[in-house]
Amino acid sequence: MIAIIDYGCGNLGSIKNMIRKIGGEAVITSNIDEIRQAKKIILPGVGSFDTGMNNLKKSGFIDILNEKAFNEKVPFLGICLGMQLMTKGSEEGSEPGLAWFDAETIKFKFEKSSVNKIPNMGWKHVYQKKESAYLKEMYPEPRFYFVHSYYVKSNKPEDVLTTSTYGTEYVSGFEKGNLCGVQFHPEKSHKFGMKLFTNFLSI
Amino acid sequence: METPRIIPILLLKGTGLYKTLKFKEPKYIGDPLNAVKIFNDKEVDELIILDITASLENKKPNYELLYQMAGECFMPLGYGGAVSSIEEIRKLISMGIEKVSINSNAVKLDFIREAADVFGSSTIVVSMDVKKNFWGKYEVYTKSGTSNTKMEASKFAVEINKAGAGELLVNSIDRDGVMQGYDLDLIKSISGEIDIPLIACGGAGELNHFKQAVNAGASAAAAGSMFVFHGKHRAVLISYPEQSEINALFR
């Protein structure tokens, strides 16, 4: 069973919709016992970094998520803010992140006259930087839907799964062992997202 | 190369899909759920659904129908129409709608501020219906284009930007359904004043119009008639350009 962690941040219904569409089974849960049973975990998230971290703490999820990620080593996918929470911290807030990756979350900075507006909202190409089960047999020229004002900067090149470009080239996916984070929204990215989730189901 | 978003906008009236001309003469298009499925199959960049009578008739959003639609959309989905409270936004989001568009209630800047604060800016879109007055000034209308706020469009856009909206949908009432091109002056007058993405709407009739809108400063281009009508007799036919056509357009 896949647990989609409900900590009050984000659009969980669409992730469940897509997993159901491809024949998988997922539950949206904020129940620690249910999370404990999970064979795979998705940490979604939309909203601000500190709200996300504080909600994880308030819900009492930090310990169980660490346990699942590092003791049980279940496949663990962070999406959007869920990816950013896996970094050490964000310019958006003052709370420390989960620090699962040696990476930081940084704000896009553009001149007002720039054609690049914030948030970065839309479809962007994703360039694969290493082999990964998540991107197995991916369709050519994969494009995913992004909505974000902050991006991840990784201090470990070997963790970088994909990069994308918005004014600057940034890390749009990272992966280390059983842990993976993507900045884009596979649940809103048509066949590309379905392929990624199909791969996630078969990991 | 990245291409801007090309977004079909579907108008809901009761449980049917309609398309208007200058916000009037709603013409029946078909079943909304069926249309959403077709657009999903065509892998559209994004889809926006606007209920054009809910606010006027003091109704709530049609949650039942929207829930069904959201289940068929594997791309970003926006909804607007009679969104007046934080609880309504919460309910819409929980169903799988990621962008909630506020129009008539956008004049209450505190509501925009609160909504952006609770759900994050990227969830909150302000949709602004604009009409040029006799003296050439762009004025903002609410209530499906029936109520003139007398506010100047670019000034209002700046306020909306400051209040925390994540995106601005600018809809030209004069160009709605006309299919002769966007009001580029309107797009220019607003896009230079804001730092959030602007979605241009109203007037698209051919692919090149999208490029004109983007060149005028729009981050994304939306259209209604162009994606639901075919030919000069406006026969109903749902269409959407191939990604290769969009790539070629913006090359």
Side-chain angles (χ1 to χ4, degrees), chain A residues 109-118 166, chain B residues 161 188 190-196 214-219:
Chain A
K109 293 173 193 88
F110 302 117
E111 297 296 318
K112 192 160 184 162
S113 57
S114 166
V115 293
N116 291 322
K117 306 280 182 176
I118 296 172
Y166 191 61
Chain B
N161 191 163
K188 280 180 202 152
I190 295 175
S191 65
E193 303 294 321
I194 58 174
D195 51 21
I196 52 176
V214 169
N215 288 345
S219 295

Side-chain angles (χ1 to χ4, degrees), chain B residues 113-173:
Chain B
R113 236 170 255 130
E114 190 188 357
D117 203 42
V118 174
F119 302 105
S121 284
S122 61
T123 305
I124 307 301
V125 182
V126 167
S127 116
M128 190 166 89
D129 298 331
V130 179
K131 202 170 162 42
K132 207 180 208 176
N133 76 7
F134 185 74
W135 292 275
K137 186 178 141 197
Y138 290 112
E139 290 176 321
V140 177
Y141 281 67
T142 58
K143 299 268 173 198
S144 303
T146 60
S147 170
N148 184 354
T149 65
K150 306 265 181 190
M151 280 185 290
E152 207 268 316
S154 63
K155 283 194 188 120
F156 184 58
V158 170
E159 294 298 315
I160 288 300
N161 191 163
K162 265 193 231 154
E167 211 174 3
L168 186 64
L169 172 63
V170 178
N171 199 353
S172 162
I173 297 175

Side-chain angles (χ1 to χ4, degrees), chain A residues 10-14 17-21 46-48 112 115-119 121-127 141 143 145 147-148 164-165 186-192 194, chain B residues 1-3 5 39-40 43-46 70-77 93-99 119-120 122-123 166-167 191-197 217 219 243:
Chain A
N11 189 353
L12 316 181
S14 46
N17 275 348
M18 187 173 265
I19 291 176
R20 191 173 50 209
K21 175 85 177 177
V46 171
S48 76
K112 192 160 184 162
V115 293
N116 291 322
K117 306 280 182 176
I118 296 172
M121 194 182 275
W123 293 75
K124 299 279 176 287
H125 285 95
V126 154
Y127 300 96
E141 296 188 42
R143 294 165 78 237
Y145 181 74
V147 186
H148 60 128
S164 296
T165 302
E187 75 279 14
K188 286 287 158 183
S189 299
H190 290 305
K191 65 182 177 200
F192 304 109
M194 284 187 201
Chain B
M1 182 208 51
E2 311 295 358
T3 51
R5 286 170 290 151
F39 280 118
N40 182 66
E43 301 194 345
V44 299
D45 288 341
E46 187 169 333
E72 301 293 339
C73 281
F74 298 103
M75 70 293 208
L77 175 64
I93 292 172
S94 74
M95 299 188 321
I97 289 168
E98 44 276 303
K99 295 188 191 183
F119 302 105
S122 61
T123 305
E167 211 174 3
S191 65
E193 303 294 321
I194 58 174
D195 51 21
I196 52 176
S219 295
Q243 186 60 39

Side-chain angles (χ1 to χ4, degrees), chain A residues 1-189:
Chain A
M1 182 264 294
I2 299 171
I4 304 170
I5 308 295
D6 180 3
Y7 59 112
C9 293
N11 189 353
L12 316 181
S14 46
I15 297 174
K16 195 179 168 178
N17 275 348
M18 187 173 265
I19 291 176
R20 191 173 50 209
K21 175 85 177 177
I22 58 171
E25 203 187 325
V27 291
I28 295 172
T29 182
S30 55
N31 179 312
I32 290 181
D33 289 327
E34 208 164 22
I35 297 171
R36 192 164 281 130
Q37 303 296 321
K39 297 280 179 272
K40 289 172 191 177
I41 291 183
I42 295 175
L43 184 65
V46 171
S48 76
F49 192 89
D50 280 3
T51 306
M53 279 314 295
N54 285 326
N55 283 6
L56 283 181
K57 280 184 207 159
K58 263 192 293 185
S59 315
F61 288 164
I62 304 280
D63 288 347
I64 182 74
L65 293 184
N66 271 304
E67 191 185 314
K68 298 298 279 189
F70 292 99
N71 295 345
E72 291 183 37
K73 297 194 188 313
V74 301
F76 204 120
L77 175 64
I79 297 175
C80 196
L81 177 65
M83 174 197 194
Q84 297 180 357
L85 295 178
M86 293 175 169
T87 67
K88 294 195 285 191
S90 172
E91 288 185 357
E92 188 178 13
S94 54
E95 289 291 324
L98 293 167
W100 291 357
F101 283 83
D102 185 1
E104 280 103 32
T105 305
I106 290 170
K107 189 168 175 54
F108 280 119
K109 293 173 193 88
F110 302 117
E111 297 296 318
K112 192 160 184 162
S113 57
S114 166
V115 293
N116 291 322
K117 306 280 182 176
I118 296 172
N120 168 24
M121 194 182 275
W123 293 75
K124 299 279 176 287
H125 285 95
V126 154
Y127 300 96
Q128 188 170 349
K129 296 296 169 185
K130 63 173 179 181
E131 285 302 308
S132 164
Y134 283 92
L135 299 177
K136 220 176 100 192
E137 292 166 10
M138 181 51 74
Y139 297 95
E141 296 188 42
R143 294 165 78 237
F144 288 88
Y145 181 74
F146 288 81
V147 186
H148 60 128
S149 303
Y150 295 80
Y151 66 92
V152 168
K153 183 174 165 290
S154 172
N155 300 317
K156 290 271 170 66
E158 63 270 28
D159 291 345
V160 177
L161 173 61
T162 63
T163 61
S164 296
T165 302
Y166 191 61
T168 176
E169 189 185 21
Y170 64 94
V171 178
S172 53
F174 55 26
E175 187 186 16
K176 184 172 72 176
N178 58 314
L179 308 175
C180 180
V182 292
Q183 182 60 67
F184 47 84
H185 288 273
E187 75 279 14
K188 286 287 158 183
S189 299

Side-chain angles (χ1 to χ4, degrees), chain B residues 14-247:
Chain B
T15 55
L17 272 194
Y18 286 77
K19 183 64 200 95
T20 51
L21 184 63
K22 300 187 179 185
F23 278 39
K24 296 196 172 85
E25 303 173 42
K27 182 182 172 183
Y28 182 70
I29 300 295
D31 171 60
L33 203 52
N34 188 40
V36 164
K37 283 180 189 166
I38 297 172
F39 280 118
N40 182 66
D41 289 344
K42 291 185 179 298
E43 301 194 345
V44 299
D45 288 341
E46 187 169 333
L47 193 63
I48 297 176
I49 293 161
L50 301 176
D51 190 322
I52 55 172
T53 47
S55 196
L56 271 179
E57 295 169 357
N58 287 317
K59 284 186 183 156
K60 295 275 177 210
N62 187 341
Y63 292 114
E64 180 62 30
L65 181 58
L66 291 169
Y67 178 74
Q68 291 177 340
M69 286 178 171
E72 301 293 339
C73 281
F74 298 103
M75 70 293 208
L77 175 64
Y79 167 77
V83 177
S84 59
S85 73
I86 295 296
E87 277 323 300
E88 276 164 1
I89 299 174
R90 196 183 304 281
K91 196 164 173 180
L92 290 164
I93 292 172
S94 74
M95 299 188 321
I97 289 168
E98 44 276 303
K99 295 188 191 183
V100 176
S101 171
I102 300 167
N103 175 294
S104 295
N105 286 299
V107 291
K108 300 171 197 155
L109 289 174
D110 283 339
F111 178 51
I112 301 298
R113 236 170 255 130
E114 190 188 357
D117 203 42
V118 174
F119 302 105
S121 284
S122 61
T123 305
I124 307 301
V125 182
V126 167
S127 116
M128 190 166 89
D129 298 331
V130 179
K131 202 170 162 42
K132 207 180 208 176
N133 76 7
F134 185 74
W135 292 275
K137 186 178 141 197
Y138 290 112
E139 290 176 321
V140 177
Y141 281 67
T142 58
K143 299 268 173 198
S144 303
T146 60
S147 170
N148 184 354
T149 65
K150 306 265 181 190
M151 280 185 290
E152 207 268 316
S154 63
K155 283 194 188 120
F156 184 58
V158 170
E159 294 298 315
I160 288 300
N161 191 163
K162 265 193 231 154
E167 211 174 3
L168 186 64
L169 172 63
V170 178
N171 199 353
S172 162
I173 297 175
D174 303 308
R175 302 289 177 109
D176 174 50
V178 178
M179 299 179 74
Q180 298 292 316
Y182 292 96
D183 187 336
L184 302 177
D185 290 336
L186 172 64
I187 297 168
K188 280 180 202 152
S189 73
I190 295 175
S191 65
E193 303 294 321
I194 58 174
D195 51 21
I196 52 176
L198 181 155
I199 308 172
C201 185
E206 54 181 89
L207 284 176
N208 202 37
H209 292 155
F210 298 143
K211 191 171 184 175
Q212 292 169 357
V214 169
N215 288 345
S219 295
S225 302
M226 188 176 153
F227 297 137
V228 297
F229 290 138
H230 179 72
K232 62 177 177 186
H233 299 296
R234 295 165 85 87
V236 174
L237 178 72
I238 289 181
S239 68
Y240 186 77
E242 295 286 332
Q243 186 60 39
S244 58
E245 292 177 85
I246 299 175
N247 288 343

